[in-house]
Amino acid sequence: MSGGTPKGKNSASRGRRLAEKARGPRREGRPVATVDDPHANIGVEARLVAGILLNAALEKRTGLDEALGQSPARDLPPADRAFARAVAMAALRRLGEIDQILDRRLAKAPPPPVRTILRIALAQTLVLETPAFAAVSTAVKLAERDAKTRPYKNLVNAVLRGIGREGPGKTSAEANLPDWLAARWKATYGEEGLAGLALATREEPATDLSARPGVDLAALAEAVEGQVLPGGTVRAARRGDVSTWPGFEAGDWWVQDAAAAIPARLLDVSVDQTVLDMCAAPGGKTLQLAATGAATVALDRSEARLKRLRQNFQRMNLDAEIVAVPAEDWEDERQFDAVLLDAPCTATGTYRRNPEVLRATRPADVAKLADVQHRLLDAAAERVKPGGRLVYCVCSLEREEGETQVIAFLRRHKDFRTVTAVPARVGAPDEALTAEGWLRVLPSQWADRGGVDGFFVACLERTGD
């Protein structure tokens, strides 16, 4: 848990490539960064945007994506915008450790804009392996640009140079977790479990692909420089715009984390069955269900979110009945052979891909969303035919949204029973299987393969007539 700040290989290599583009021309093997160099100025703008993106993410969960679509981020060249996002994401993943390093160097807390400049600089040097002189130079230039930060430019220079000269010192990955979440996860998963979850905050995840039936997985893995994981997910080592990757336009695959592919596999539908995806958007699991040939209904309350689902179905040349209505208000009386409920949740299990969730989630959100999940589970039960199956899942690490929900559901609905999951059949880590027969997938599992998103998944069967 300590001993400096280990760097994830994926984030570091990607950051180095983006940094090279942002730093501009080189002379005698060293990057040039002068005030008159337009490439240096672009580099400063990219780092300014990185700070804006970081703060937007800390303000609210959707802040980073919203800020990317607005000026000044949208005005940057694509390579510089990508670099800005990479820096902001690196800072989010290691925010606690970065602040540990800074707090040892600062006699008193600087104004927030100054701390942002320092955070952005350390994210570059400690995570993305940007040369220290380039990060320090642009940080000082950023401080000089604004009257509020200008008086602190010497402080910025001294702090960063001191860290570069003497090293960052020891840090703890647990610092990247909010205290309240760390306490909850320690109580739920134990000291060792918490340590694994904390270490996973440091890693930038790879891009996972789900392929439609008939696609040669080995060939796809070779094309995206990756590997085939248990269950059939292809984990790509390739980076960049996925729409340019082999097989995208042909509809051979879609992007979906390996853990997110487990629930639809566990539902195990066949071509002659009917299936309902109750909270379908953005549609990865719905694509899995429709690709089996089953008659699929995709239900979601948000027409805007269903837009992406429709686009993916068109690209994949698949078909489903798509309905924009809240699941609890759907007046259709049909029952189905299989129902998938991927319920709204705190999404704390997705922090590898969305590190902002750790800062945006509040304790009250857990109870609020647990109430929504309770109601949706009862609505889902009414949609399952006798002898049919219901898979309930959330990408949350909180017991109230997972295990506790299913325990309470089974008490309310005596005509349902657990169908014990077999991890190997659905591409789940072996250690994910719980004593009850459910799956509790943690981001710390499959560490040797690059980890997975956190999920809770349970398969329930309706008994009787």
Side-chain angles (χ1 to χ4, degrees):
M1 292 296 296
S2 61
T5 53
K7 304 174 180 68
K9 293 181 180 179
N10 290 336
S11 58
S13 60
R14 183 185 188 195
R16 283 195 298 270
R17 291 195 299 270
L18 292 170
E20 288 297 325
K21 293 180 180 179
R23 286 198 299 269
R26 305 169 70 94
R27 292 196 194 106
E28 298 179 357
R30 293 179 58 82
V32 177
T34 67
V35 174
D36 296 329
D37 184 350
H39 292 279
N41 291 333
I42 291 174
V44 172
E45 292 296 330
R47 289 158 174 84
L48 172 66
V49 168
I52 293 171
L53 297 178
L54 171 61
N55 290 330
L58 294 175
E59 289 171 6
K60 63 177 180 177
R61 183 171 301 195
T62 59
L64 188 145
D65 288 336
E66 291 175 8
L68 270 173
Q70 301 170 356
S71 292
R74 70 181 179 191
D75 302 327
L76 288 177
D80 296 296
R81 187 165 59 249
F83 175 76
R85 184 182 184 280
V87 172
M89 292 292 281
L92 281 170
R93 288 193 175 94
R94 307 290 281 275
L95 193 65
E97 293 180 90
I98 287 171
D99 282 347
Q100 278 186 333
I101 296 165
L102 290 175
D103 290 343
R104 287 197 288 261
R105 292 275 173 178
L106 296 166
K108 63 179 181 178
V114 176
R115 182 173 285 270
T116 297
I117 292 172
L118 292 168
R119 284 170 164 174
I120 291 302
L122 287 185
Q124 295 170 68
T125 57
L126 299 178
V127 184
L128 302 184
E129 298 183 0
T130 301
F133 72 87
V136 173
S137 174
T138 51
V140 173
K141 289 183 173 67
L142 277 175
E144 289 175 338
R145 287 175 57 131
D146 191 294
K148 295 180 181 179
T149 58
R150 194 171 299 128
Y152 297 89
K153 68 176 184 178
N154 290 335
L155 173 69
V156 168
N157 183 66
V159 168
L160 294 178
R161 290 190 181 279
I163 294 169
R165 183 173 58 252
E166 300 169 20
K170 291 184 178 181
T171 61
S172 167
E174 289 185 20
N176 299 323
L177 302 173
D179 290 342
W180 73 275
L181 268 179
R184 287 175 63 89
W185 293 353
K186 181 178 179 180
T188 301
Y189 304 111
E191 188 79 48
E192 185 177 349
L194 173 64
L197 292 172
L199 287 172
T201 64
R202 291 172 167 171
E203 299 304 319
E204 179 187 8
T207 300
D208 290 345
L209 310 178
S210 288
R212 63 183 304 151
V215 170
D216 185 328
L217 297 181
L220 175 58
E222 183 178 0
V224 297
E225 305 163 26
Q227 61 177 313
V228 181
L229 299 178
T233 291
V234 173
R235 174 154 291 177
R238 185 167 178 162
R239 297 287 175 174
D241 183 358
V242 297
S243 67
T244 66
W245 292 8
F248 178 85
E249 289 295 339
D252 288 346
W253 50 263
W254 59 95
V255 175
Q256 184 179 36
D257 186 83
I262 292 170
R265 293 184 190 134
L266 189 58
L267 197 54
D268 192 26
V269 298
S270 57
V271 67
D272 59 341
Q273 292 183 322
T274 59
V275 58
L276 170 65
D277 189 349
M278 282 187 61
C279 299
K285 299 175 186 66
T286 322
L287 286 167
Q288 284 179 276
L289 299 172
T292 67
T296 304
V297 177
L299 193 66
D300 200 276
R301 67 184 303 125
S302 171
E303 179 60 52
R305 281 168 53 83
L306 284 171
K307 180 180 179 182
R308 181 177 170 189
L309 184 149
R310 295 179 196 275
Q311 292 171 341
N312 278 327
F313 265 79
Q314 183 177 8
R315 180 175 66 85
M316 302 295 299
N317 195 27
L318 292 172
D319 185 48
E321 180 185 344
I322 300 174
V323 183
V325 66
E328 297 166 274
D329 299 336
W330 193 35
E331 297 181 355
D332 193 306
E333 296 182 355
R334 278 179 288 175
Q335 290 185 316
F336 298 81
D337 297 304
V339 174
L340 175 63
L341 174 56
D342 181 6
C345 68
T346 54
T348 49
T350 69
Y351 64 79
R352 294 160 59 253
R353 298 184 189 281
N354 307 296
E356 64 271 21
V357 304
L358 296 179
R359 308 291 167 178
T361 303
R362 299 290 180 264
D365 296 337
V366 179
K368 179 180 178 181
L369 285 161
D371 183 60
V372 173
Q373 294 148 9
H374 174 115
R375 298 197 308 270
L376 286 172
L377 266 167
D378 285 346
E382 298 177 3
R383 299 291 177 183
V384 182
K385 291 180 181 179
R389 298 175 307 285
L390 165 64
V391 163
Y392 171 74
C393 65
V394 285
C395 55
S396 166
L397 300 182
E398 316 316 309
R399 281 190 60 88
E400 296 92 326
E401 300 183 83
E403 292 88 342
T404 302
Q405 284 292 346
V406 175
I407 291 170
F409 174 84
L410 291 173
R411 288 174 180 166
R412 296 193 306 273
H413 297 270
K414 302 298 186 181
D415 55 339
F416 279 83
R417 67 178 183 88
T418 293
V419 178
T420 299
V422 180
R425 291 182 183 173
V426 295
D430 290 338
E431 60 269 36
L433 185 65
T434 71
E436 299 86 354
W438 309 324
L439 294 171
R440 169 54 79 182
V441 183
L442 299 176
S444 52
Q445 293 169 357
W446 275 357
D448 58 331
R449 294 184 170 109
V452 286
D453 281 354
F455 259 85
F456 172 82
V457 193
C459 184
L460 310 170
E461 182 181 56
R462 186 172 188 178
T463 61
D465 298 326

Short mmCIF file of all heavy atoms in Angstrom, two decimals, residues 103-144:
data_model
loop_
_atom_site.label_atom_id
_atom_site.label_comp_id
_atom_site.label_asym_id
_atom_site.label_seq_id
_atom_site.Cartn_x
_atom_site.Cartn_y
_atom_site.Cartn_z
N ASP A 103 0.57 18.18 0.50
CA ASP A 103 0.38 18.67 1.87
C ASP A 103 1.66 18.58 2.68
O ASP A 103 1.85 19.35 3.63
CB ASP A 103 -0.73 17.87 2.55
CG ASP A 103 -2.11 18.19 1.98
OD1 ASP A 103 -2.24 19.23 1.30
OD2 ASP A 103 -3.05 17.40 2.20
N ARG A 104 2.56 17.67 2.32
CA ARG A 104 3.85 17.60 3.02
C ARG A 104 4.75 18.77 2.63
O ARG A 104 5.72 19.06 3.34
CB ARG A 104 4.54 16.27 2.70
CG ARG A 104 3.91 15.06 3.38
CD ARG A 104 4.87 13.87 3.37
NE ARG A 104 5.01 13.31 2.04
CZ ARG A 104 4.37 12.23 1.61
NH1 ARG A 104 3.52 11.60 2.40
NH2 ARG A 104 4.56 11.76 0.39
N ARG A 105 4.46 19.40 1.50
CA ARG A 105 5.32 20.47 0.98
C ARG A 105 4.77 21.86 1.28
O ARG A 105 5.49 22.86 1.15
CB ARG A 105 5.46 20.32 -0.54
CG ARG A 105 6.25 19.10 -0.97
CD ARG A 105 7.72 19.42 -0.96
NE ARG A 105 8.56 18.26 -1.20
CZ ARG A 105 9.87 18.31 -1.26
NH1 ARG A 105 10.50 19.46 -1.13
NH2 ARG A 105 10.58 17.21 -1.46
N LEU A 106 3.49 21.93 1.61
CA LEU A 106 2.84 23.22 1.77
C LEU A 106 2.65 23.55 3.24
O LEU A 106 2.06 22.77 3.99
CB LEU A 106 1.48 23.22 1.07
CG LEU A 106 1.52 23.04 -0.46
CD1 LEU A 106 0.13 22.71 -0.99
CD2 LEU A 106 2.07 24.32 -1.12
N ALA A 107 3.15 24.71 3.65
CA ALA A 107 3.00 25.13 5.05
C ALA A 107 1.54 25.44 5.36
O ALA A 107 1.07 25.21 6.48
CB ALA A 107 3.87 26.35 5.33
N LYS A 108 0.81 25.96 4.40
CA LYS A 108 -0.61 26.20 4.56
C LYS A 108 -1.29 26.00 3.20
O LYS A 108 -0.64 26.06 2.15
CB LYS A 108 -0.88 27.60 5.10
CG LYS A 108 -0.44 28.73 4.20
CD LYS A 108 -0.79 30.08 4.84
CE LYS A 108 -0.38 31.25 3.93
NZ LYS A 108 -0.76 32.55 4.52
N ALA A 109 -2.59 25.77 3.24
CA ALA A 109 -3.32 25.47 2.01
C ALA A 109 -3.33 26.67 1.08
O ALA A 109 -3.68 27.78 1.50
CB ALA A 109 -4.75 25.07 2.35
N PRO A 110 -2.93 26.50 -0.18
CA PRO A 110 -2.98 27.60 -1.14
C PRO A 110 -4.41 27.80 -1.64
O PRO A 110 -5.28 26.95 -1.40
CB PRO A 110 -2.07 27.11 -2.26
CG PRO A 110 -2.26 25.63 -2.24
CD PRO A 110 -2.44 25.25 -0.80
N PRO A 111 -4.69 28.87 -2.36
CA PRO A 111 -6.02 29.03 -2.96
C PRO A 111 -6.33 27.87 -3.90
O PRO A 111 -5.42 27.29 -4.50
CB PRO A 111 -5.89 30.35 -3.73
CG PRO A 111 -4.78 31.08 -3.07
CD PRO A 111 -3.82 30.03 -2.61
N PRO A 112 -7.61 27.51 -4.03
CA PRO A 112 -7.97 26.36 -4.88
C PRO A 112 -7.38 26.39 -6.30
O PRO A 112 -6.94 25.34 -6.78
CB PRO A 112 -9.51 26.43 -4.90
CG PRO A 112 -9.85 27.03 -3.58
CD PRO A 112 -8.79 28.05 -3.32
N PRO A 113 -7.35 27.55 -6.99
CA PRO A 113 -6.77 27.53 -8.34
C PRO A 113 -5.29 27.13 -8.36
O PRO A 113 -4.82 26.51 -9.31
CB PRO A 113 -6.96 28.97 -8.84
CG PRO A 113 -8.09 29.51 -8.03
CD PRO A 113 -7.93 28.87 -6.69
N VAL A 114 -4.57 27.49 -7.29
CA VAL A 114 -3.15 27.12 -7.20
C VAL A 114 -3.02 25.62 -6.97
O VAL A 114 -2.18 24.94 -7.58
CB VAL A 114 -2.46 27.92 -6.08
CG1 VAL A 114 -1.00 27.47 -5.93
CG2 VAL A 114 -2.52 29.41 -6.37
N ARG A 115 -3.86 25.08 -6.11
CA ARG A 115 -3.82 23.62 -5.88
C ARG A 115 -4.15 22.87 -7.17
O ARG A 115 -3.56 21.82 -7.44
CB ARG A 115 -4.79 23.22 -4.76
CG ARG A 115 -4.75 21.72 -4.45
CD ARG A 115 -5.58 21.39 -3.22
NE ARG A 115 -4.93 21.78 -2.00
CZ ARG A 115 -4.10 21.01 -1.30
NH1 ARG A 115 -3.78 19.79 -1.76
NH2 ARG A 115 -3.57 21.43 -0.17
N THR A 116 -5.07 23.40 -7.95
CA THR A 116 -5.40 22.76 -9.22
C THR A 116 -4.18 22.69 -10.13
O THR A 116 -3.89 21.65 -10.75
CB THR A 116 -6.54 23.50 -9.93
OG1 THR A 116 -7.72 23.42 -9.12
CG2 THR A 116 -6.82 22.90 -11.30
N ILE A 117 -3.44 23.78 -10.22
CA ILE A 117 -2.23 23.81 -11.05
C ILE A 117 -1.23 22.76 -10.57
O ILE A 117 -0.62 22.02 -11.36
CB ILE A 117 -1.60 25.21 -11.03
CG1 ILE A 117 -2.51 26.21 -11.76
CG2 ILE A 117 -0.21 25.20 -11.67
CD1 ILE A 117 -2.06 27.66 -11.63
N LEU A 118 -1.05 22.67 -9.26
CA LEU A 118 -0.11 21.70 -8.69
C LEU A 118 -0.58 20.27 -8.93
O LEU A 118 0.21 19.38 -9.25
CB LEU A 118 0.06 21.97 -7.20
CG LEU A 118 0.78 23.28 -6.83
CD1 LEU A 118 0.64 23.57 -5.34
CD2 LEU A 118 2.26 23.20 -7.21
N ARG A 119 -1.88 20.03 -8.77
CA ARG A 119 -2.42 18.68 -9.00
C ARG A 119 -2.20 18.24 -10.44
O ARG A 119 -1.81 17.10 -10.70
CB ARG A 119 -3.92 18.68 -8.69
CG ARG A 119 -4.28 18.67 -7.20
CD ARG A 119 -5.76 18.91 -7.01
NE ARG A 119 -6.23 18.55 -5.68
CZ ARG A 119 -7.45 18.77 -5.23
NH1 ARG A 119 -8.35 19.35 -6.01
NH2 ARG A 119 -7.80 18.41 -4.00
N ILE A 120 -2.47 19.15 -11.37
CA ILE A 120 -2.32 18.83 -12.78
C ILE A 120 -0.85 18.52 -13.12
O ILE A 120 -0.55 17.59 -13.86
CB ILE A 120 -2.87 19.97 -13.65
CG1 ILE A 120 -4.39 20.05 -13.52
CG2 ILE A 120 -2.46 19.81 -15.10
CD1 ILE A 120 -5.11 18.78 -13.92
N ALA A 121 0.04 19.29 -12.55
CA ALA A 121 1.47 19.07 -12.82
C ALA A 121 1.92 17.71 -12.27
O ALA A 121 2.64 16.97 -12.95
CB ALA A 121 2.30 20.19 -12.21
N LEU A 122 1.50 17.37 -11.06
CA LEU A 122 1.91 16.10 -10.48
C LEU A 122 1.26 14.91 -11.19
O LEU A 122 1.88 13.84 -11.29
CB LEU A 122 1.59 16.06 -8.99
CG LEU A 122 2.48 16.93 -8.09
CD1 LEU A 122 2.14 16.72 -6.63
CD2 LEU A 122 3.95 16.62 -8.33
N ALA A 123 0.04 15.08 -11.65
CA ALA A 123 -0.58 14.00 -12.43
C ALA A 123 0.26 13.67 -13.66
O ALA A 123 0.39 12.51 -14.05
CB ALA A 123 -1.99 14.40 -12.84
N GLN A 124 0.85 14.69 -14.26
CA GLN A 124 1.68 14.47 -15.44
C GLN A 124 2.97 13.75 -15.09
O GLN A 124 3.35 12.76 -15.74
CB GLN A 124 2.02 15.81 -16.10
CG GLN A 124 0.84 16.55 -16.67
CD GLN A 124 1.24 17.96 -17.07
OE1 GLN A 124 2.01 18.16 -18.01
NE2 GLN A 124 0.74 18.95 -16.35
N THR A 125 3.66 14.21 -14.06
CA THR A 125 4.98 13.66 -13.76
C THR A 125 4.90 12.30 -13.06
O THR A 125 5.70 11.41 -13.35
CB THR A 125 5.79 14.62 -12.89
OG1 THR A 125 5.06 14.90 -11.68
CG2 THR A 125 6.06 15.93 -13.63
N LEU A 126 3.93 12.13 -12.17
CA LEU A 126 3.88 10.92 -11.36
C LEU A 126 3.11 9.79 -12.02
O LEU A 126 3.38 8.62 -11.76
CB LEU A 126 3.24 11.22 -10.00
CG LEU A 126 3.97 12.25 -9.13
CD1 LEU A 126 3.20 12.49 -7.84
CD2 LEU A 126 5.39 11.78 -8.82
N VAL A 127 2.15 10.13 -12.88
CA VAL A 127 1.31 9.09 -13.48
C VAL A 127 1.61 8.93 -14.97
O VAL A 127 1.81 7.82 -15.45
CB VAL A 127 -0.19 9.41 -13.29
CG1 VAL A 127 -1.05 8.28 -13.82
CG2 VAL A 127 -0.50 9.67 -11.81
N LEU A 128 1.65 10.04 -15.70
CA LEU A 128 1.84 9.97 -17.15
C LEU A 128 3.30 10.03 -17.58
O LEU A 128 3.59 9.96 -18.77
CB LEU A 128 1.05 11.10 -17.82
CG LEU A 128 -0.45 11.12 -17.54
CD1 LEU A 128 -1.13 12.23 -18.34
CD2 LEU A 128 -1.08 9.78 -17.88
N GLU A 129 4.20 10.20 -16.62
CA GLU A 129 5.64 10.21 -16.88
C GLU A 129 6.06 11.33 -17.83
O GLU A 129 7.00 11.20 -18.61
CB GLU A 129 6.10 8.84 -17.43
CG GLU A 129 5.87 7.70 -16.46
CD GLU A 129 6.40 6.37 -16.97
OE1 GLU A 129 6.95 6.33 -18.09
OE2 GLU A 129 6.25 5.37 -16.26
N THR A 130 5.37 12.45 -17.73
CA THR A 130 5.81 13.65 -18.45
C THR A 130 7.11 14.15 -17.82
O THR A 130 7.23 14.17 -16.60
CB THR A 130 4.74 14.76 -18.34
OG1 THR A 130 3.52 14.28 -18.88
CG2 THR A 130 5.17 16.03 -19.06
N PRO A 131 8.11 14.53 -18.61
CA PRO A 131 9.35 15.06 -18.04
C PRO A 131 9.07 16.20 -17.07
O PRO A 131 8.24 17.09 -17.36
CB PRO A 131 10.13 15.53 -19.26
CG PRO A 131 9.64 14.65 -20.38
CD PRO A 131 8.19 14.44 -20.08
N ALA A 132 9.74 16.19 -15.94
CA ALA A 132 9.45 17.16 -14.89
C ALA A 132 9.62 18.59 -15.37
O ALA A 132 8.81 19.47 -15.02
CB ALA A 132 10.34 16.89 -13.68
N PHE A 133 10.67 18.86 -16.18
CA PHE A 133 10.91 20.25 -16.59
C PHE A 133 9.75 20.78 -17.42
O PHE A 133 9.40 21.95 -17.34
CB PHE A 133 12.23 20.37 -17.36
CG PHE A 133 12.20 19.78 -18.74
CD1 PHE A 133 11.78 20.53 -19.84
CD2 PHE A 133 12.60 18.47 -18.95
CE1 PHE A 133 11.76 19.97 -21.11
CE2 PHE A 133 12.58 17.92 -20.21
CZ PHE A 133 12.15 18.66 -21.30
N ALA A 134 9.12 19.92 -18.23
CA ALA A 134 7.99 20.37 -19.05
C ALA A 134 6.78 20.65 -18.18
O ALA A 134 6.07 21.65 -18.37
CB ALA A 134 7.66 19.31 -20.10
N ALA A 135 6.52 19.78 -17.20
CA ALA A 135 5.36 19.98 -16.32
C ALA A 135 5.55 21.22 -15.45
O ALA A 135 4.61 22.00 -15.26
CB ALA A 135 5.16 18.74 -15.45
N VAL A 136 6.76 21.42 -14.94
CA VAL A 136 7.03 22.59 -14.10
C VAL A 136 6.92 23.87 -14.92
O VAL A 136 6.31 24.86 -14.48
CB VAL A 136 8.42 22.48 -13.44
CG1 VAL A 136 8.76 23.78 -12.70
CG2 VAL A 136 8.48 21.29 -12.51
N SER A 137 7.51 23.88 -16.11
CA SER A 137 7.48 25.06 -16.96
C SER A 137 6.05 25.49 -17.28
O SER A 137 5.70 26.67 -17.13
CB SER A 137 8.24 24.79 -18.26
OG SER A 137 8.10 25.86 -19.15
N THR A 138 5.22 24.54 -17.68
CA THR A 138 3.84 24.91 -18.03
C THR A 138 3.03 25.27 -16.79
O THR A 138 2.14 26.12 -16.86
CB THR A 138 3.15 23.76 -18.78
OG1 THR A 138 3.30 22.54 -18.06
CG2 THR A 138 3.73 23.61 -20.18
N ALA A 139 3.33 24.66 -15.64
CA ALA A 139 2.62 25.02 -14.41
C ALA A 139 2.92 26.46 -14.01
O ALA A 139 2.00 27.21 -13.61
CB ALA A 139 3.02 24.06 -13.29
N VAL A 140 4.18 26.87 -14.13
CA VAL A 140 4.53 28.26 -13.81
C VAL A 140 3.86 29.22 -14.80
O VAL A 140 3.36 30.28 -14.42
CB VAL A 140 6.06 28.43 -13.82
CG1 VAL A 140 6.44 29.90 -13.68
CG2 VAL A 140 6.69 27.61 -12.69
N LYS A 141 3.82 28.84 -16.07
CA LYS A 141 3.14 29.69 -17.06
C LYS A 141 1.66 29.82 -16.75
O LYS A 141 1.07 30.90 -16.92
CB LYS A 141 3.34 29.12 -18.47
CG LYS A 141 4.75 29.26 -19.03
CD LYS A 141 4.80 28.74 -20.44
CE LYS A 141 6.17 29.02 -21.08
NZ LYS A 141 7.25 28.25 -20.43
N LEU A 142 1.04 28.72 -16.31
CA LEU A 142 -0.38 28.79 -15.93
C LEU A 142 -0.57 29.75 -14.76
O LEU A 142 -1.53 30.52 -14.74
CB LEU A 142 -0.88 27.39 -15.55
CG LEU A 142 -1.31 26.48 -16.68
CD1 LEU A 142 -1.67 25.10 -16.12
CD2 LEU A 142 -2.51 27.06 -17.42
N ALA A 143 0.31 29.66 -13.77
CA ALA A 143 0.20 30.56 -12.62
C ALA A 143 0.36 32.02 -13.03
O ALA A 143 -0.31 32.91 -12.49
CB ALA A 143 1.24 30.19 -11.57
N GLU A 144 1.23 32.29 -14.00
CA GLU A 144 1.47 33.65 -14.46
C GLU A 144 0.29 34.25 -15.19
O GLU A 144 0.12 35.47 -15.24
CB GLU A 144 2.69 33.69 -15.39
CG GLU A 144 4.02 33.45 -14.69
CD GLU A 144 5.17 33.37 -15.67
OE1 GLU A 144 4.90 33.09 -16.87
OE2 GLU A 144 6.33 33.57 -15.26
#
